[in-house]
Amino acid sequence: MSRKIMIVLGLLVVASMILAACGPAETPAAPTAEPPAPAPTDEPGAPAPTEAPTAAPTEPPFTTTRTGTWVDEVSMSVVTSGSAVTQISAGAIDIYGGNLATPQDLQAIRDAGLNNSEQYGLYYELTFNPSGPVFEGTGKLNPFAVQNVREAMNWLVDRDYLNQEIYGGVAIPKFLPISAGFPDYARYVDLARAVEAKYAYNFDKANEVITTEMEALGAVKNADGKWTYNDELVTVIILIRTDSDGTRVPQGDYVSNQLESIGFTVDRQYKTSSEASPLWVLGNPADGLWHIYTGAWGVSGISRSEGDNFQFFYSPKSAYGFSPLWQAYTLTEEADVVSEALALNDFNTFDERRELFAQAMDLIIPTSYRVWLIDGKGFSPWKPGLAVSYDLAAGIDINPLWSRTLRFVDEAGLPIEGGTVKWGNSDLFVDPPNPIAGSNWTYDSQWQNATGDYAVMGNPFTGNYIPNRIDRAEVTVLEGLPVINTTDWVTLDFAAQIDVPADAWIDWDPAAQVFKTVGEAYPDGLTAKRKSVVYYPSELYDIKWHDGSNMSAADFIMPMIMTFEPGTEGSAIYDESQVGALESFKSSFKGFRIVSTDPLTIEYYSDVWYFDADWNVTGMWPEYGYGNASWHMIAVSNLADAAGELAYSADKADALSSETAPVEWMSYVGGPSLEILSKYLDQAASESLIPYAPTLGAYITADEAAARYANLQAFYADRGHFWVGTGPMILDQVFFVEKTATLVRNPDYPDLADKWLAFSAPKLSEVEIDGAGRVGIGAEATFDVFVSYQGDAYPADEIDNVKYLLFGADGSLIEVGEAELVADGQYVVTLSAETTGKLAAGAAKLEVAVVSKVVSVPSFAAFEFVAE
Amino acid sequence: MSAESQPLEQTSGSVKAKATVSTLARVGKYTGSRLITLFITVVIGVYLTILIANMGGYVDNIMRGEIREGIAMRLARDENYKNMAPEDRTAYVATLVSQEETRMGLDRPFAVRSVSFLVNALQLKLGRAINMTSDSGSRLVSLIILERLPATLLLMATSNLILFFAAILIALSLSRRYGSFVDKMVVGMSPTSSAPPWFYGIFMILIFAAFLKWLPFGGMIDSPPPAEGLPYALSVLKHMILPVSALILSSIFISIYNWRTFFLIYSSEDYVDMAKAKGLTDKDLERRYILRPTLPTIITSFGLLLIGIWTGAIITETVFQWPGIGRATFRAIGLYDTPVIVGLTIIYAYMLAITVFLLDFIYALVDPRVKVGGSK
């Protein structure tokens, strides 16, 4: 009997092991993130320029008298991405702020009945080694040295298959180095669709082109149908990334299978980023150690302009120009001019830019140094009964709107005031936070952007900017620059010349602790390409720091001092690692001027410009690139840095450290830094220190300084850290080892909680086409187009354009045109007799692309008909 | 008599003195040679760790690649950089790369750095991490380790001590009940220990956290954290249940089986049967006739257990998000942070060497048959 029991028990254990082994493995969070894609940035010391809000995407459904955040508290903790959905379902957390990327994740979210964001995540491509056609290192053939072979890879891979099989159909097939969800794609949708039609999956064509080229290279197929060269098999080495989100393994396997099916022998080398990087980035392509790499790139926000991607991905002039691979890229002179012009915005009109894009499609894309595969999507889940805004590119945690819109909702979807949200993410407190050169991890920015505030906020659906702490702005750019204005809070002017006033500040004298004026530095005068004037509201100084101090003009001047101080030799806080960034900044910075302190008005001059007027606004704020900070906190931490007891940057800390006297990378929130900062706070308080007195002395009184330091001492005594912002949440408790922290509502935050409710959900349009199923060749035809959002007609004033694209039976693009507006949500496409006359008999397709003003992602619909 | 006996006493005394001197010399000689041997072992072990952690210097290439990629991605978003003249761009990138390589020590050949790592490690100069920071933000390797140590000690000590003593006591009992149902059950269940603790951990998380919702998925305390004191301690205790259970469950049966087999050998000795025939109680039998001769083995096992406690359990801690040294090790390996890896290794190596060294003396204390430095 007992033996039977033992057998049963044993079988149970074995069965449980097998069942468990069949389940998905727990995957620890990767220590590093994918490299983000290029996106515009602004000068240091100031947040990125902004654009005014256009029409509200959705109407606020609710109003309130509550200020600040809807919730009382957010409790952050670390959870693995693999368990996020399960933990939300079990009630362990309410929301996961990070990115889930696979279709299995999305399915799990749906199965669990959770809500989720949907944002553009990684985008995937195949990178080819163009060296050869015979590798110097191995003497072996490299078919991908031939442009036609690389280009034929476009036809060899079925992107729809990849999307359906690997990404569950939620991703988007990708053919270009611009994202299908960003404005440039919407602007040039006809150009993009033409390329997509050209490179649509065509296995036979791929095989035919590659066969021709291989034979021209001297390769022959053996009896097994395998390509050989000099009597050796032509083996393609493909580096398949196994880390990241894991989807590049099936991608790489699919591409390998396709190559094998046309006669290549494939060596699949599965590698992590660290293992592959020395080969494809640093290695000499001529060594012949690889042919194809499964690449992926990330986005950190909606990019309003992706023109520079052509240079970034295809030119030796790329920021990746250090890489031997990029140096192996050769563009024709004409293509080089096009990529440079798009990278530097060197054009005068948008028509010129469009022409440059068209040329890039013809001259650069066919080089096929890269073959684009998929625009991936990411998902962040949260439980029913909770709501939050998210960025269409960055998701939840990077955009500061998360803290301002996170709320519990009732069954009708209306906000419920109060409550504690349990927030999970993959990590927390990765590096020491300090506003000058502290942690820049996403995991830390999620709580930093909740505790900070900004002059402008990024529109999560368009990538434009919205005024947050400024009244209005004026922008002046040089005549001839193709800048447009789509906002009502920015006025745009053009000028033949923009002179920088002689009393504008342009540089810093660390010894005298005063700014150098333009008049002193440039006696003959100075001009700029762009000027912005920002008008702050009269109640600006009513805003309180978390320690209770009122904001003042000195808080706005200190960031500019700190832009120069660490990188300027002779400064007490000189940091060699900051020199390069400062020099880079100075190369385009042309000065700034405090026009008025109350109300605050600041002029800013620069040679960097963007073609959206709002992006040209430099909305200065006490934001230092790695967090908000008041002048008095910076004064304290400067003392610690100057004394060599702490260092803002990791580089300086390492440089100053010795075995016997270590210097810590400064942390405002924990560790050995706190005691040192506290000591210098006491010193500053005892002296009523006015930092940089020759400059800030005009803006700070001794009494104000004393009051501020006293406030900071009280804050530190209460909270136990120095992270003092002006945002809607206050960092309350920090548990480093336990990896948890709590944020509480800032009761002094001035804005109503419903301020950002208009951005609750992206107003993605739904498009339908109706018309005759048969169209006579040479006869006029009309089609009705219906554009709606959640069943309601999409307002015409929120639509930028409705384009149609007519494709012939062979997939070629016959015509591109604009649909005519009939009424809100209703358009008509008219194909003239001449147009239909160009159709061959057979199936044709009409595609409509709707570009909204309030969401950057275009919507598409297609209608197939028979031409006869 | 006394006159006659004096030489004998003198002889006896001098023999004793000679024996003492001889013993001291033997012990001293043994101690010296043992320490030298152990030190050489530590040096070899640590240097091998340095070589392996750096893939013989290949990690330099990886880090150089990562530095350049990181800088390229940063600059790609820098409008000022884009506006710079091509030669200025190149110079700027070169400067940034050089600064970062210098900071990470890549400006010196790996061979030189590897010796520096070794020398500093042997002196317990743990230095600064390359990429990692402690949870509170320090780059000091000592702080990185010390911050994680309490959590690991709490988890590993609790589970390992429970496991160790429970296994011995149950095994001792089973050795006297050979063939009983419980004995057969333990034997039958012992193969379950082929699965690692994290395997059981995932199961237990699914059952007790996801399905029953009785216990937390992981972490060390609730979020939001409870107040300090008893609520905090209870919260930690609640979070310990699953990882401790997983660690115990994964090894308990095989441990009992091992010890039970070991004790069984001693239980069937003639002198045990003789003692049993004399009518000694089971307790006396176990304590005096089974445990005592097996004490050196038990002590050895316990000593190794104690030093094993502090290394943590890399994957189990990761599965349970337990903020211990195991996870720190996991991260250090992932970041190729040699100073942290070497720091963890050298401490373990020294502790192991000291334990091995002390065990020789402890054997002599608990077992009269053992002679320190003796040939047999």
Side-chain angles (χ1 to χ4, degrees), chain B residues 176 260-273 289-295 297 369:
Chain B
R176 306 289 305 139
R260 162 260 192 205
T261 308
F262 177 67
F263 290 139
L264 206 54
I265 295 167
Y266 284 83
S267 299
S268 54
E269 291 285 350
D270 292 342
Y271 60 82
V272 177
D273 289 337
Y289 289 85
I290 302 175
L291 266 182
R292 183 168 294 172
T294 57
L295 214 48
T297 309
R369 296 169 296 179

Side-chain angles (χ1 to χ4, degrees), chain B residues 104 109 132 193 250 254 312 332 345 354:
Chain B
M104 297 175 86
M132 279 182 75
S193 298
S250 71
I254 194 72
T345 306
I354 291 166

Side-chain angles (χ1 to χ4, degrees), chain A residues 610-633:
Chain A
Y610 307 88
F611 52 72
D612 283 306
D614 51 319
W615 276 68
N616 288 296
V617 175
T618 300
M620 295 178 70
W621 190 255
E623 160 63 38
Y624 293 79
Y626 299 87
N628 282 193
S630 61
W631 68 255
H632 58 295
M633 187 56 224

Side-chain angles (χ1 to χ4, degrees), chain A residues 36 41 75 308 588 654 664 738, chain B residues 73 77 80 82 138 223 232:
Chain A
T41 57
S75 177
D308 54 347
S588 55
D654 286 337
E664 292 289 355
E738 297 87 342
Chain B
M73 294 313 302
R77 288 172 284 162
N80 298 307
K82 288 180 192 169
S138 173
S223 181
Y232 185 94

